[in-house]
Amino acid sequence: DAGITQSPRHKVTETGTPVTLRCHQTENHRYMYWYRQDPGHGLRLIHYSYGVKDTDKGEVSDGYSVSRSKTEDFLLTLESATSSQTSVYFCAISDDGTGSPYEQYFGPGTRLTVT
Amino acid sequence: AQSVTQLDSHVSVSEGTPVLLRCNYSSSYSPSLFWYVQHPNKGLQLLLKYTSAATLVKGINGFEAEFKKSETSFHLTKPSAHMSDAAEYFCVVSDPGGYQKVTFGTGTKLQVIP
């Protein structure tokens, strides 16, 4: 299994509070992604990174920000959590080196509940 | 722009019978295509991938998929379902270039009846 960890694995928070989710990889892969998974929607891309300090928006980026100060860490921040952000969040990584391009490896997920 | 449609949200089969999960894609280029599996409360695991080599792709656990350009399809099959195959399956498409972004289908839940 690819070395990807996410923390926390579960979190319950109140509406209006800030929340930060962490993704950590030990594979030295260039690309990192944050997705949210909701019933009937599959996985939807929130933000992605193509290098240290290089990030861009995905299809559902409103209300989320990201940062990547080191190759191995990609942080997702909900500035002011809302109930609509209750979801399961997955981090993924990929590389354009020796492995197949676009094949993404996924972390175990973080279940976030906003009350 | 790329997109993918999984034609069935739920599929139910009896143990030992064939499995067919359908996926159609749309892409402006020669795409890469993937199938991922997600068991309950788990992350996603790659089943198989198509990257313009052989059109019939074999994956793990006896699954395979055939890339049909004329039909823009990439259906997932398995000759004989096992109870452990019960999971959600996602078809994924990616166009070459750019920043390796992929697009997920909405998923097909496979139920295997004993």
Side-chain angles (χ1 to χ4, degrees):
Chain A
D1 290 343
I4 310 170
T5 56
Q6 293 185 230
S7 58
R9 294 292 314 279
H10 301 271
K11 186 170 182 65
V12 179
T13 192
E14 294 184 348
T15 298
T17 60
V19 176
T20 295
L21 309 183
R22 179 179 184 241
C23 177
H24 178 78
Q25 61 147 327
T26 58
E27 305 297 322
N28 201 36
H29 280 6
R30 177 183 176 190
Y31 302 94
M32 298 186 75
Y33 312 81
W34 277 108
Y35 293 91
R36 60 178 289 173
Q37 183 178 26
D38 305 289
H41 291 276
L43 272 74
R44 292 180 291 174
L45 182 65
I46 305 171
H47 282 278
Y48 65 100
S49 169
Y50 46 95
V52 174
K53 297 187 180 179
D54 292 323
T55 64
D56 205 350
K57 297 178 179 180
E59 62 179 298
V60 290
S61 59
D62 287 348
Y64 301 95
S65 62
V66 291
S67 65
R68 192 172 178 196
S69 59
K70 298 184 291 185
T71 298
E72 57 266 34
D73 289 326
F74 192 33
L75 303 180
L76 176 71
T77 298
L78 290 65
E79 302 290 348
S80 177
T82 68
S83 58
S84 65
Q85 294 176 312
T86 292
S87 186
V88 181
Y89 292 85
F90 286 98
C91 174
I93 63 174
S94 69
D95 198 43
D96 54 3
T98 56
S100 297
Y102 314 110
E103 178 178 339
Q104 296 189 5
Y105 302 93
F106 286 82
T110 294
R111 185 174 296 276
L112 176 67
T113 302
V114 183
T115 60
Chain B
Q2 60 196 30
S3 66
V4 62
T5 302
Q6 292 185 242
L7 299 166
D8 305 292
S9 59
H10 291 82
V11 169
S12 182
V13 301
S14 297
E15 189 176 18
T17 64
V19 175
L20 170 63
L21 305 183
R22 299 182 294 165
C23 172
N24 287 114
Y25 71 90
S26 173
S27 173
S28 304
Y29 307 93
S30 296
S32 294
L33 291 157
F34 308 84
W35 276 99
Y36 284 84
V37 61
Q38 183 181 32
H39 287 92
N41 300 312
K42 299 289 187 183
L44 281 79
Q45 179 185 17
L46 181 69
L47 266 181
L48 51 80
K49 59 188 177 187
Y50 166 78
T51 54
S52 76
T55 57
L56 183 62
V57 180
K58 294 188 184 299
I60 61 173
N61 300 332
F63 284 94
E64 62 181 37
E66 186 172 8
F67 174 73
K68 292 186 176 181
K69 186 175 181 179
S70 61
E71 299 177 9
T72 61
S73 69
F74 190 58
H75 300 336
L76 182 69
T77 61
K78 182 174 181 178
S80 176
H82 191 273
M83 293 300 295
S84 61
D85 295 328
E88 189 160 21
Y89 293 79
F90 293 94
C91 183
V92 178
V93 64
S94 178
D95 286 334
Y99 294 115
Q100 298 203 0
K101 288 193 294 180
V102 300
T103 301
F104 280 79
T106 52
T108 299
K109 285 190 176 177
L110 176 65
Q111 179 185 21
V112 182
I113 302 168

